[in-house]
Amino acid sequence: MDYAVILALQIGSAIASLVLISLGLAVIFGMMRIINLAHGEFLMLGGYAAITAYNNGVNLWIAMLLVAPLTVGLFGIVVERLIIRHLYGRMIDTMLATWGLSLAMIGFVTVVFGNTVSGISAPLGSLTIGAYRTGAYELFLIIVAALLLVVGWLVLRYTRLGLIARGTMQNAAMAAALGVSPSLVYAVTFGVGAALTGLVGGLLAPLSGVVPTIGAAYIAKAFITVISGGAAILSGTAIASGLLGTINTAMTFAFTSVLGEVALLVAAVVLLRILPQGITGRFFQRSL
């Protein structure tokens, strides 16, 4: 029984991790159709923002939950205003621009912080379940992932801001005719996606530490999850995270972590072969 509980927590942690690293990309790619190859570096920047703030005397929770998302969110708005806004509808150009941005960010952060791992201790201690111990912070991340999905759904479904954002992404010309500024909506939406990514970077910093090249460890999983989820940015991300996270954890427990990663990739390839438009391209088509 204890082993089953630990396995369930590990599966939940894997699912939460995929949800967290994919949410910001789901907003930017899923809603705006922008392929942001600097997504991993946005996450890395959030981690460094949280660590730097904490090392300078800021409370750990404020550093992770406020400083990291605000820093990356503002940076995202600047990037959208200076770079992305000139490239809407030009997918290849956007990919090249964000790839160049990712290289520039890695180089700059390496110069400032060095090429060594920076980190902070995970709060909340550990949980004892029978003969097993697991980090209480991982349970906290599961709760945060669930809350972000619920809050995101409520905002997009029931608030005027969510309606304006969805309407502008679907038909910018009509939104402009109704008095909405598509340019402002694009900037705010990109900033929100960046802020979510920065928040996750801050939250994951106590678990994995941060190094300038850490973005490469997350970006592939994020894109795989969002693409596998399909058009519905929230339900698609949640379902794909649940499926891929369960497969990854089960294979890791049964064999090794390497085979777990391979199984995740193979599952995504098979899924996209069967459902080329993702899970919500075939099912849950009216969901968010």
Side-chain angles (χ1 to χ4, degrees):
M1 179 62 71
D2 296 339
Y3 182 82
V5 173
I6 291 294
L7 178 59
L9 285 176
Q10 290 299 315
I11 291 175
S13 178
I15 294 172
S17 177
L18 287 177
V19 168
L20 289 173
I21 66 175
S22 303
L23 267 182
L25 186 65
V27 172
I28 293 174
F29 176 66
M31 289 185 65
M32 304 180 69
R33 313 312 299 175
I34 294 173
I35 300 179
N36 179 23
L37 295 183
H39 175 75
E41 282 61 52
F42 280 27
L43 192 147
M44 172 267 290
L45 183 61
Y48 273 113
I51 291 173
T52 301
Y54 175 71
N55 289 339
N56 283 277
V58 178
N59 178 270
L60 175 61
W61 296 105
I62 295 176
M64 293 190 300
L65 300 177
L66 288 179
V67 175
L70 286 176
T71 300
V72 183
L74 291 173
F75 179 75
I77 292 175
V78 172
V79 169
E80 196 279 338
R81 293 288 84 186
L82 296 180
I83 301 174
I84 304 298
R85 66 178 299 193
H86 304 291
L87 302 174
Y88 288 120
R90 297 159 57 185
M91 184 172 294
I92 300 300
D93 293 343
T94 304
M95 291 174 62
L96 292 174
T98 54
W99 179 52
L101 175 64
S102 74
L103 295 178
M105 291 177 67
I106 292 172
F108 177 78
V109 171
T110 301
V111 170
V112 174
F113 294 98
N115 198 27
T116 57
V117 177
S118 301
I120 45 182
S121 300
L124 301 179
S126 60
L127 292 174
T128 301
I129 302 174
Y132 301 94
R133 295 175 67 87
T134 185
Y137 188 68
E138 295 182 7
L139 180 60
F140 169 74
L141 291 183
I142 295 174
I143 296 172
V144 170
L147 284 176
L148 286 177
L149 286 173
V150 171
V151 171
W153 185 82
L154 291 174
V155 169
L156 290 176
R157 179 67 177 82
Y158 291 108
T159 68
R160 185 171 182 270
L161 293 176
L163 178 62
I164 289 174
R166 288 190 291 132
T168 302
M169 300 310 158
Q170 292 175 10
N171 193 327
M174 181 62 72
L178 294 174
V180 175
S181 171
S183 178
L184 178 60
V185 174
Y186 288 143
V188 172
T189 304
F190 193 91
V192 169
L196 285 171
T197 306
L199 171 64
V200 175
L203 290 172
L204 293 181
L207 289 182
S208 59
V210 186
V211 69
T213 55
I214 196 173
Y218 295 111
I219 189 169
K221 286 186 179 181
F223 269 104
I224 286 172
T225 303
V226 173
I227 293 172
S228 298
I233 61 173
L234 294 179
S235 58
T237 299
I239 295 169
S241 297
L243 176 63
L244 298 177
T246 300
I247 292 172
N248 184 11
T249 305
M251 293 299 291
T252 298
F253 262 73
F255 301 101
T256 64
S257 60
V258 174
L259 286 179
E261 298 294 325
V262 172
L264 185 150
L265 178 59
V266 171
V269 171
V270 172
L271 176 64
L272 290 174
R273 180 65 181 86
I274 299 172
L275 302 172
Q277 295 181 341
I279 297 170
T280 55
R282 177 71 177 274
F283 309 102
F284 310 100
Q285 294 183 4
R286 294 183 179 274
S287 58
L288 287 174

